[in-house]
Amino acid sequence: MLKTYNNKAWLLVLPVVLCVAFSAIIPLMTVVNYSVQDILGPDQKVFVGTEWFQLVMRDPELHAALGRQVLFSAAVLAIQIPLGILLALALPATGWRSSLSLVLLAMPLLIPQNVVGTIWQIYGRGDIGLAGAALTKLGVNYNYTGNSMDAWLTVLVMDIWHWTPLIALLAFAGLRAIPEAYYQAARIDGASRFAVFRFIQLPKLRGVLLIGLLLRFMDSFMIYTEPFVLTGGGPGNATTFLSQYLTQKAVGQFDLGPAAAFSLIYFLIILLACFVFYSLLQNAGPAEKAPH
Amino acid sequence: MKKRYFGLILYLVFAILPIYWMVNMSLKTNEEITGALTLWPRHLTFDNFRTILTDPAWYGGYINSLIYVLINTVLSVAVALPASYAFSRYEFLGDKHLFFWLLTNRMSPPAVFLLPFFQLYSSINLFDTHIAVALAHMLFNVPLAVWILEGFMAGIPREIDETAYIDGYSFPRFFVRIFIPLIGAGIGVTAFFCFMFSWVELLLARTLTSVNAKPIVAIMTRTVSAAGMDWGVLAAAGVLTIVPGALVIYFVRNYIAKGFAMGRV
C-alpha cells in the first residue's frame, strides 16, 4: 500500500511518544547517570567514568549468568519453534475439534507468570506433585530443589509448556492464510507431503515465524518470574539468569553503580539482537504481503 | 492421519495436566494434599476458596490488580489508536526509527527499569498507587498495542478513508464514527493482549506497590515464602488468577489465532 508523506502524522503519534518517553527515557537517563557515578550519600557523588563498566565486564558471576542465559534461550528456540510448527500442522483446521484444541492450547499462555511458577513448583514436588511423584515411582532420582541439572531442565520444560502454544497459534494462523489453490497446484504436480511443507507452507510461514522468534527470544532472554518462584535461582546459581542476577545486585545488594552499568550492557545486547530480527522482519514483510 | 492426532492429544495432555493438578489441589484439604497422592479430591472442600474470598488481604489483591490492569488497558489502547493510524497511513520524518524505538521498549527487560521507576514514582508521590503500576506497564503495552493495531489497520483499504474525506467528514469524526467500528475485532484483540500482559506481570507491580495497591501476584509470592505450608489456599489463589484469562479467551475465541499473529497474516 502506498503511503502519503505527511508530517502532520506526528500529531497522531505524539501521545504515544510522550507516554513512552515518560516511562522509558527518564528512567534510562537515571540508569546512565548511576552507571558513571559512585553514590556515597544523598548529596555525595563522585564521577568514576567507565570504572563500573570495567568491573562488570570482568565479573565472573556475570559471565556465568550470561552463559546460562544464552544456553537457555538457544534451547528454548531450538525446541519451541519446531514443536510449535508440528503442533500447528497437526491441529484440525475447522470444526469444534479445532476450537477446543485451540482453547486448550492457549490456556498456559493466559496464566500469570508467577502462577506458572507455582503450578510447576507444586507439580514437580516429589511428595505432593504428580510429575515429581511419577518420576520418583519410575526410579528417577528427581529433585528440582537439590539437583542443578533437574532444576535447569524443570525451568526449560516449564518454559516449553508455557510458550510453545504461542508459536503453534502463530503458525496455525499463518497456515490458514494459505489459499487452497496452492495445495491444488501441488496435488496436480504430485508433490509429496514434505515437498508441500518445504516449498509452500514454510515460505508462507516465514513472516509469522519471525514474529514468534522475536517474541520468544526477547522474553526468554529476560525471564525472571518463573525461575524466581520455582527455584529462587538455585540450587546454587544453576537457574540464575541475567534478570535474576541484575535484580539481586540492584535491589538485594543495592550496588547501584555496577547494577546500572550491567543494565546498560544488558539493554544493548537485547537492542542489537532486536535490531537484527527487526531488519529480517522488515525484509520479509513486503515479499509476504505482495500476493494478498 | 491417526498418528498426527496421537501426537497432538499427547501434547494437549501435557499442557492440561499441570493445570488440572492445581485445580485438583485447590479442592482438597491440606491433610489430604500432604497425606497421600490422590487423583481427585476424596473430601471435596471449598474452604480454600472461602478463605480467599472472605479475607480482605486476599481479595483486595484481586481488586487492586483489576484496577491497574483496566486503567492500563484503556490508556494503552486510547493512545495507540491514533498512533497506529499514523503508522499505517502516512510516511513522516523518522517514522521507521520511531517504530523501532517503540518496539525496543517492548523488548527492554523490566529488571533494567526497576530502580529508576521506583525513584521516579516516589519522587512524584505516585508510589503505591494504581496509576503508577498502570503507567509503568504502558512501557511494554503501548508498543505492543501499536504493533497489533497497525497490523489490523493495514488490512483496511485506503479508499474508505478517502471516500469519507470527500463526503466531508472531518478527521476526528471519520475516525470515531467509521474507522473504529471497522477495526472493532482488532481493538478487542489488542485490549485482550494489554489486559493479559499487565495481568501476568509481577516484577514491576511488586516493586511499585507496598500496601494500598498491592497486586494479587505479589500477595501470592509472600504466602509462598512466609507460610509455605498452606498449599490448598495457594492453589486456590492460583486457580482464581486464571479465571479472568479464561473469561477473556472465551470472548475472543474466534480471533485467537489471528490475534496472536498480530493481525499480520
Side-chain angles (χ1 to χ4, degrees), chain A residues 233-258:
Chain A
N237 277 329
T239 50
T240 302
F241 299 115
L242 285 178
S243 276
Q244 188 104 32
Y245 186 63
L246 175 58
T247 319
Q248 275 172 17
K249 262 206 154 13
V251 183
Q253 308 164 4
F254 231 70
D255 287 337
L256 291 186

Side-chain angles (χ1 to χ4, degrees), chain A residues 203-271:
Chain A
K204 277 292 193 183
L205 286 181
R206 203 181 138 195
V208 281
L209 282 181
L210 272 169
I211 296 177
L213 196 69
L214 188 71
L215 287 175
R216 280 319 299 134
F217 171 75
M218 298 308 153
D219 287 343
S220 71
F221 212 76
M222 49 198 190
I223 186 168
Y224 170 81
T225 312
E226 294 93 329
F228 172 76
V229 175
L230 186 72
T231 59
N237 277 329
T239 50
T240 302
F241 299 115
L242 285 178
S243 276
Q244 188 104 32
Y245 186 63
L246 175 58
T247 319
Q248 275 172 17
K249 262 206 154 13
V251 183
Q253 308 164 4
F254 231 70
D255 287 337
L256 291 186
F262 176 22
S263 294
L264 286 180
I265 295 171
Y266 191 5
F267 190 60
L268 286 179
I269 296 175
I270 291 210
L271 207 61

Side-chain angles (χ1 to χ4, degrees), chain A residues 1 3, chain B residues 83-90 150 153-154 158 179:
Chain A
M1 187 189 318
K3 297 178 186 174
Chain B
S84 37
Y85 181 80
F87 281 119
S88 79
R89 292 296 192 260
Y90 298 112
E150 198 266 337
M153 285 181 183
R158 281 190 68 91
F179 201 69

Side-chain angles (χ1 to χ4, degrees), chain A residues 118-162:
Chain A
T118 308
I119 288 178
W120 281 83
Q121 192 188 24
I122 295 170
Y123 192 59
R125 277 177 68 108
D127 52 349
I128 59 171
L130 189 61
L135 282 172
T136 313
K137 265 266 161 59
L138 288 172
V140 184
N141 188 8
Y142 169 81
N143 179 1
Y144 71 81
T145 53
N147 182 320
S148 349
M149 196 61 198
D150 289 352
W152 200 85
L153 283 177
T154 309
V155 175
L156 184 64
V157 172
M158 176 170 72
D159 200 77
I160 291 169
W161 176 80
H162 190 182

